Amino acid sequence: MLYRVAGERRRFCFASMLLSSVAFAVPAYAQTSAGSAAVETSVYDFNLQPSVLGSTVARIGALTGWRIFYGGDVPSDTLTTAVSGRFSVTEALGLALQGTGLQYQVTGPRSVSIASSMSFDDISYMNDPEATLLEPVFVTTGVQGASGAGFMGTPDWVYDTAGSVSVVSREAILGAPSRSAGDLLDNVAGVYANRSNGQDPGISVNIRGLQDQNRVVTMVDGARQNFQIAGHGTTSRAYVDSAFIREIDIDKMGGSGVGGAGNLGGSVNFRTIIADDLITGDKDWGLSFNGTGGSNEFNFDGSIAAATQLTDSFSVLAGYSRKKIGAYEIGTNGDIELNPETTSDNVSVFTGSEVESSILKAEAQLTDDLDLTLSWLRNSSKFSTGGYITAGTLEGGTQESEYDVVNNTFTANLGWDPVSDLVDLDVNLWYNHLQNDQEFEQLLIGVILAAPAHYELGTFGGSIDNTSFFETPLGDLTVNYGIEGFHDDGKTEVDADFPMDELTGNEGLTGPNPTGTRDVFSGFASATLEPTDWLSLTGGLRYDWYRIKGIGSYAWIRKHPNTRVCERVLDESTGSWRQVCTGEKAWQEWAKEDVDIDRSDGAFLPSVTAAFGPWDGLQPFVRYAKTFRPPTLMEQLWGGQHYIGSSPLSFAPNPDLKAERADTYEIGVNYARDGWLQWDDSFRMKAVGFFRKVDDYIALGHVYKETGERAYQSFVNLNGASYMKGIEFEANYDVGRFYIGASATLLDTDYADTYTYYGERAPGSGTSKPFKPGDVLSSDTLYVPPTFYLTMDAGLRFFDERLTLGGRLTHSNGGKAGDIETYDVENYTVYDLYGSWVFNDTAALRFAIDNVTDLAYVPSMGTADLPAPGRTFTASLNLTF
């Protein structure tokens, strides 16, 4: 934060410094005089090794949340001394700065300045309420820190967190041009982006073998993206453009705290940029431009964003982006069998899209301890799905469905952090609305039928939570408690003119995203006790409750018996015999059965964490959490038929569907060390072993309906438990002139494969294939990630680190989904090259060659119908003003 002396207007700005990574600023308190600054007396556990000043203050900021800044006359590579023990922030800084010739000055609530001893000898300016330090460099980490010394820029707070969390940094986002935001998750241990809907830019995240139906909560700035729609492939659709994403926060477990409601297997939160990312130096405005182009139909991906500081406490940010991607060529080296319905001349049909995004954000510091942020993010995605027609009278044409998806996300956040150990309050309100308009084209008996469909889901939600700190005889106690909830409102409208008796013809399209409402509410509390300087114990409890209301429907054939009776009658006027009949012959008609569903349930969900710190920089931990996921509207109300014009006797709702429950155990270790092998290096590592047991897993099976006396495909609860277990590892070593890092995942999954079916009945399924009682149609819902997945990344820096040249290796041993052969994925190893040249503080050029060997392969969590792109060159220009 920068201020002018008395008589000049104060200006709020961002200043950055180059450490081993980039740190981003957030609004700070106005500086007060030394005599009036309130000094916080809280103490913390410090285990800081001798290091450079920039790294030391970053670690202190990450641990305590204090804002630490210093002027340009303070060298950021000044060596600090070790700090080990339980101290206040000022005590820790005093110890760290011993022998450096530097001193600190508390300048406001939870903020401190560092300067040379000579600078502090003349403190008259510090006592002038009209003046503050000029040209400070302000270092902030914590959850807002966008980059750090970890793997591919992971910030340091990840390696201070006792649990399986990961971050995709802004550095990694800018350095990896992507066809889809899902590509940004490829290098995170235990996390995968499903590619089974490769023609759709919407993403579905898989964490440790769980995906779809909100099992993994996907958010933008905390606003849930709950949209689901049935089809071949994944059901989840989250439409996010990477242009305005500053970091992606990933929790792989779920549990207590905000975001845990209905969270079975973890969360992914896409956080958007803030004004301080754009405003630099002593300006009150900032502008950035990012443009990317390349080969293999990577036509253009560009964005522009601007921010202005209208007053010393109010800023506005706006941005616009556009991406146009064409249908790509697959690789030419490799042995894979191409599907003629989805590929032609080595091109994957309909894999292009046009995406436009815009952002508007206002940030206000209402008082020294009260902040308000309002944001609107809009994403418009246009694309097509389908393939070539290879048989029939229309052979040689295409069967195509066009999509126009608009996703609007509105968020409001109010933070109140007064100088009090009892209050650190966050209030969040958000609304997400996704509208999917599509024009179906369906080939049926040599004729293409078309029908427009309108799917939408609006989700309104919010949370209130507070953190309080207490000093007790047993140790420091931190308590977090609050409530959260959300309301899903689904709606579907279809204009299909194929009437069948009581049916409208729309039943084939309304079922995949049925009309109905879902409410989820949760209350939670957790307490962290630190009885010693090396032990931290956390216990939490939450209660989740849900209610689903709606009308599901299914079709059946109403059979009318033969009531026709005929007899011979003598006509006395003519004297001849004639036949007279009454009643009707047997006949049948289509009919629809509505099922009024109103279902609710709840669960108490405990969690426990223990973290240990007996050695400097090393933190072993263990963790347990019970989690709970209610069915989605699609799972509970699903019904209809397979597609337009087909028999409607396909799907039916299951009013008896139960929520899923999971128990997850983790054991892990963090290690963070600066000056590990030499004074200016850094090493970061996180390793986690996990075991998860899921009861009542929901998959696609059959239910039997007495009305109509037949079976229908429906979502059912599997018998027994489904298991996921494995090991995740990531590490990074950086010494400035070179770096090397890796992430790896070992995963073993065992899904339940039976369910309880109606009695001993085993009727036909309504399709050409009969089924056995209890068979699971798992191919549409159970996606199995690879058992081993590895990413290795290394690079060199030249010319004062202005030039970076790096390479990346990705290896997967396959994966599959259910028993469908097209979802079986073979082993593959892909190589990428990348680099960047930083011209100056305002301009940088980035370049990359993805799939250097032009390998033809099917990506993990994908389908053989849509192989991955072949060799692709991209170049990006990043400008800031």
Side-chain angles (χ1 to χ4, degrees):
M1 180 172 288
L2 176 65
Y3 295 94
R4 295 297 183 187
V5 294
E8 292 192 40
R9 178 171 59 88
R10 296 192 302 172
R11 293 189 291 178
F12 179 87
C13 75
F14 165 80
S16 63
M17 70 177 181
L18 184 64
L19 303 170
S20 59
S21 60
V22 181
F24 288 84
V26 297
Y29 293 98
Q31 183 175 332
T32 63
S33 67
S36 63
V39 179
E40 184 176 289
T41 59
S42 301
V43 293
Y44 306 87
D45 294 325
F46 293 96
N47 288 291
L48 305 177
Q49 296 301 306
S51 183
V52 296
L53 176 65
S55 178
T56 297
V57 299
R59 294 295 302 279
I60 294 175
L63 177 63
T64 67
W66 275 55
R67 289 167 280 269
I68 306 173
F69 55 96
Y70 49 88
D73 61 331
V74 177
S76 62
D77 59 354
T78 299
L79 288 179
T80 61
T81 60
V83 179
S84 180
R86 192 170 183 80
F87 305 103
S88 69
V89 173
T90 54
E91 290 171 337
L93 278 174
L95 293 171
L97 296 177
Q98 285 182 350
T100 64
L102 302 176
Q103 293 183 357
Y104 68 86
Q105 179 73 53
V106 177
T107 56
R110 299 173 66 83
S111 63
V112 63
S113 297
I114 296 175
S116 66
S117 300
M118 183 177 298
S119 299
F120 277 125
D121 285 342
D122 179 14
I123 62 172
S124 60
Y125 69 93
M126 299 294 293
N127 295 317
D128 182 355
E130 300 295 330
T132 64
L133 287 174
L134 287 174
E135 304 293 346
V137 176
F138 175 34
V139 180
T140 291
T141 55
V143 297
Q144 291 292 335
S147 293
F151 179 60
M152 302 190 74
T154 300
D156 280 350
W157 67 265
V158 169
Y159 306 99
D160 289 326
T161 301
S164 50
V165 296
S166 294
V167 167
V168 180
S169 69
R170 181 66 174 167
E171 173 186 328
I173 294 171
L174 289 175
S178 57
R179 294 178 183 267
S180 165
D183 298 343
L184 302 174
L185 303 172
D186 285 345
N187 302 316
V188 180
V191 180
Y192 314 87
N194 190 288
R195 262 84 175 189
S196 62
N197 289 86
Q199 297 173 331
D200 188 331
I203 63 174
S204 175
V205 182
N206 184 300
I207 294 181
R208 298 174 171 176
L210 292 178
Q211 73 169 58
D212 287 339
Q213 309 296 350
N214 303 149
R215 291 185 177 96
V216 173
V217 176
T218 305
M219 299 175 282
V220 174
D221 287 333
R224 299 188 181 221
Q225 312 291 301
N226 285 353
F227 186 78
Q228 309 282 324
I229 187 169
H232 292 284
T234 179
T235 64
S236 179
R237 302 286 194 280
Y239 293 88
V240 182
D241 187 5
S242 61
F244 304 123
I245 303 302
R246 75 186 308 256
E247 73 176 51
I248 308 172
D249 296 342
I250 302 165
D251 172 28
K252 306 171 191 176
M253 187 168 182
S256 63
V258 173
N263 182 338
L264 186 74
S267 63
V268 177
N269 191 11
F270 293 86
R271 295 185 181 271
T272 57
I273 58 175
I274 60 177
D276 283 348
D277 295 335
L278 305 178
I279 302 176
T280 61
D282 60 354
K283 300 178 299 182
D284 56 12
W285 62 274
L287 179 69
S288 74
F289 169 80
N290 297 293
T292 301
S295 65
N296 200 5
E297 294 299 315
F298 200 113
N299 298 325
F300 178 75
D301 183 5
S303 67
I304 185 170
T308 181
Q309 194 68 41
L310 299 176
T311 70
D312 60 349
S313 60
F314 182 68
S315 63
V316 176
L317 177 151
Y320 171 80
S321 73
R322 184 173 184 272
K323 177 187 290 186
K324 185 175 182 181
I325 305 294
Y328 60 76
E329 292 185 9
I330 67 173
T332 57
N333 299 315
D335 184 19
I336 62 174
E337 184 176 348
L338 302 180
N339 185 345
E341 293 184 357
T342 55
T343 56
S344 177
D345 295 328
N346 218 46
V347 172
S348 288
V349 65
F350 298 137
T351 50
S353 62
E354 293 188 25
V355 178
E356 290 183 289
S357 295
S358 56
I359 186 173
L360 182 64
K361 180 176 289 190
E363 301 169 69
Q365 188 170 0
L366 305 178
T367 67
D368 283 349
D369 52 25
L370 190 63
D371 299 306
L372 174 66
T373 301
L374 303 174
S375 177
W376 169 42
L377 185 67
R378 183 181 187 274
N379 179 289
S380 174
S381 299
K382 296 182 179 180
F383 56 97
S384 298
T385 64
Y388 294 104
I389 300 173
T390 59
T393 59
L394 299 179
E395 181 178 355
T398 59
Q399 179 180 330
E400 176 183 4
S401 294
E402 297 180 353
Y403 295 73
D404 186 352
V405 178
V406 177
N407 189 36
N408 285 285
T409 301
F410 303 88
T411 60
N413 171 259
L414 182 70
W416 184 34
D417 188 9
V419 185
S420 169
D421 287 341
L422 299 179
V423 180
D424 185 357
L425 183 70
D426 274 311
V427 180
N428 295 283
L429 292 175
W430 48 266
Y431 177 69
N432 179 253
H433 182 271
L434 192 145
Q435 175 177 309
N436 180 355
D437 291 310
Q438 56 194 79
E439 183 77 23
F440 281 93
E441 288 190 357
Q442 177 63 51
L443 176 65
L444 184 68
I445 316 176
V447 177
I448 291 183
L449 304 176
H454 172 88
Y455 301 113
E456 64 178 276
L457 181 71
T459 305
F460 174 78
S463 63
I464 302 175
D465 76 297
N466 184 57
T467 302
S468 300
F469 174 82
F470 305 90
E471 293 182 353
T472 74
L474 297 178
D476 290 344
L477 179 66
T478 303
V479 182
N480 175 257
Y481 47 93
I483 58 174
E484 68 172 325
F486 59 89
H487 170 80
D488 283 338
D489 189 354
K491 182 180 180 181
T492 295
E493 295 177 351
V494 179
D495 184 14
D497 188 17
F498 303 109
M500 295 180 178
D501 304 314
E502 295 181 15
L503 308 184
T504 65
N506 299 344
E507 281 72 15
L509 299 177
T510 56
N513 182 52
T515 297
T517 62
R518 181 176 68 146
D519 295 291
V520 178
F521 296 101
S522 182
F524 58 87
S526 65
T528 300
L529 179 68
E530 298 176 329
T532 71
D533 58 0
W534 58 268
L535 176 63
S536 174
L537 302 173
T538 301
L541 180 67
R542 73 182 305 132
Y543 180 76
D544 279 8
W545 177 89
Y546 79 92
R547 183 180 187 182
I548 291 180
K549 294 182 66 177
I551 297 177
S553 63
Y554 62 95
W556 59 288
I557 299 176
R558 181 183 292 124
K559 297 181 179 180
H560 296 267
N562 185 6
T563 61
R564 187 176 178 84
V565 177
C566 299
E567 60 178 339
R568 288 169 57 88
V569 178
L570 177 63
D571 187 343
E572 296 180 352
S573 63
T574 62
S576 60
W577 292 87
R578 59 186 180 88
Q579 185 170 324
V580 177
C581 298
T582 59
E584 295 181 327
K585 293 182 178 179
W587 61 288
Q588 61 186 32
E589 62 181 340
W590 295 108
K592 184 175 71 170
E593 183 80 8
D594 288 335
V595 181
D596 191 355
I597 294 176
D598 186 344
R599 185 175 180 86
S600 61
D601 197 3
F604 285 98
L605 309 168
S607 61
V608 178
T609 301
F612 311 89
W615 303 283
D616 291 343
L618 185 67
Q619 184 193 51
F621 60 86
V622 293
R623 193 179 179 199
Y624 163 79
K626 179 178 283 291
T627 54
F628 173 88
R629 182 190 73 88
T632 60
L633 291 173
M634 190 187 89
E635 291 171 312
Q636 194 86 69
L637 303 175
W638 156 283
Q641 63 204 68
H642 189 214
Y643 51 76
I644 300 172
S646 69
S647 168
L649 305 176
S650 299
F651 309 126
N654 182 0
D656 299 321
L657 200 62
K658 297 182 292 185
E660 296 175 343
R661 288 168 167 80
D663 295 277
T664 304
Y665 304 83
E666 289 183 344
I667 181 170
V669 61
N670 292 314
Y671 187 62
R673 190 75 179 266
D674 295 319
W676 190 46
L677 300 180
Q678 57 187 65
W679 72 269
D680 60 344
D681 70 1
S682 64
F683 179 73
R684 303 289 186 268
M685 185 270 291
K686 181 185 283 283
V688 180
F690 63 90
F691 173 84
R692 173 174 284 145
K693 171 178 171 285
V694 181
D695 292 313
D696 295 321
Y697 193 99
I698 298 174
L700 193 61
H702 286 82
V703 296
Y704 185 84
K705 297 295 185 182
E706 292 283 3
T707 305
E709 297 182 345
R710 62 176 297 111
Y712 298 81
Q713 292 185 22
S714 183
F715 286 95
V716 298
N717 295 107
L718 302 186
N719 292 330
S722 297
Y723 299 95
M724 301 95 194
K725 56 186 176 181
I727 299 173
E728 298 161 353
F729 172 85
E730 72 172 45
N732 190 70
Y733 178 75
D734 194 321
V735 71
R737 59 189 177 274
F738 74 88
Y739 58 90
I740 183 170
S743 71
T745 306
L746 287 170
L747 178 65
D748 181 27
T749 58
D750 182 13
Y751 298 93
D753 57 5
T754 63
Y755 62 96
T756 301
Y757 182 67
Y758 178 82
E760 296 298 324
R761 297 175 184 267
S765 64
T767 66
S768 59
K769 291 184 178 179
F771 69 97
K772 296 177 294 184
D775 279 356
V776 173
L777 303 181
S778 59
S779 57
D780 286 338
T781 54
L782 302 182
Y783 290 89
V784 183
T787 56
F788 178 65
Y789 194 88
L790 169 70
T791 298
M792 297 189 65
D793 183 75
L796 300 171
R797 302 186 182 102
F798 305 93
F799 308 115
D800 294 328
E801 301 186 7
R802 290 185 176 273
L803 175 64
T804 300
L805 297 175
R808 185 168 46 250
L809 173 152
T810 302
H811 174 78
S812 170
N813 73 340
K816 65 176 183 176
D819 300 321
I820 297 181
E821 293 183 359
T822 56
Y823 289 90
D824 288 341
V825 178
E826 302 296 331
N827 296 0
Y828 61 86
T829 302
V830 177
Y831 303 92
D832 305 320
L833 296 175
Y834 62 90
S836 64
W837 173 260
V838 179
F839 296 100
N840 49 47
D841 292 340
T842 63
L845 176 68
R846 304 173 189 270
F847 45 89
I849 308 175
D850 295 332
N851 193 358
V852 172
T853 61
D854 201 29
L855 180 69
Y857 71 100
V858 178
S860 296
M861 311 299 294
T863 166
D865 292 337
L866 295 169
R871 185 187 300 117
T872 303
F873 301 85
T874 56
S876 305
L877 181 63
N878 309 125
L879 301 175
T880 57
F881 303 97

